[in-house]
Amino acid sequence: MNENIFSKIVNNKIKSKIVYRDKYVTAFNDINPKCPVHIIIVPNIYIKNLNYINKSNILLLGKMLFIASKLAKKNNIDKSGYRIIINCNKNSGQEINYLHLHILGGCYLGKIINLK
Ligand code: 5GP
């Protein structure tokens, strides 16, 4: 479901609030934020989910985390804390079939075990 939405955002075919972009990754605000800060980071190349990465993607994944840490600082949630989530397939609740990382912060997230 909705597997092309993030491709369309990366390719500027639909509007979103882009907060960072470079040659490798694009970051934008989640349309339905679960916290005051809820940013999605995607690679600019299509990868369905974490099950589809290979060795050539290792630097790209590092880049996604590096940019996540920079955006956390920029949004002043580095000290208060934040959570990075990468969902994969049905049991995680993955909705969009395009590898993406969530940065959630600016609110108390609770223990991960309490996530519903
Ligand atoms: P998932 O559950 O797949 O890990 O997360 C998908 C996320 O994408 C959800 O948090 C949802 O709110 C967000 N989302 C879905 N459609 C759009 C859209 O068209 N634009 C933006 N910016 N976010 C979207």
Side-chain angles (χ1 to χ4, degrees), residues 9-38:
I9 290 173
V10 167
N11 295 311
N12 292 317
K13 298 235 168 82
I14 59 170
K15 272 205 163 182
S16 72
K17 176 75 183 104
I18 306 274
V19 296
Y20 178 85
R21 195 199 284 278
D22 65 22
K23 196 174 158 190
Y24 306 101
V25 302
T26 300
F28 49 90
N29 287 334
D30 195 290
I31 204 168
N32 181 20
K34 313 298 185 297
C35 265
V37 177
H38 188 170

Side-chain angles (χ1 to χ4, degrees), residues 19 50 66 108:
V19 296
L50 215 46
F66 180 69
Y108 182 65

Side-chain angles (χ1 to χ4, degrees), residues 5-6 28-32 34 87 93 95-96 100 102:
I5 285 183
F6 289 175
F28 49 90
N29 287 334
D30 195 290
I31 204 168
N32 181 20
K34 313 298 185 297
N87 289 320
E95 208 181 292
I96 309 287
H100 57 280
H102 297 252

Side-chain angles (χ1 to χ4, degrees), residues 34-35 37-41 64-65 68-69 71-72 77-87 100-116:
K34 313 298 185 297
C35 265
V37 177
H38 188 170
I39 297 169
I40 303 275
I41 304 181
M64 288 168 72
L65 280 173
S69 78
L71 289 173
I77 57 169
D78 54 322
K79 301 274 181 346
S80 54
Y82 58 95
R83 182 170 292 152
I84 301 295
I85 298 176
I86 299 178
N87 289 320
H100 57 280
L101 166 163
H102 297 252
I103 310 169
L104 289 159
C107 63
Y108 182 65
L109 292 153
K111 300 278 183 198
I112 197 158
I113 200 132
N114 292 330
L115 274 179
K116 290 268 190 285

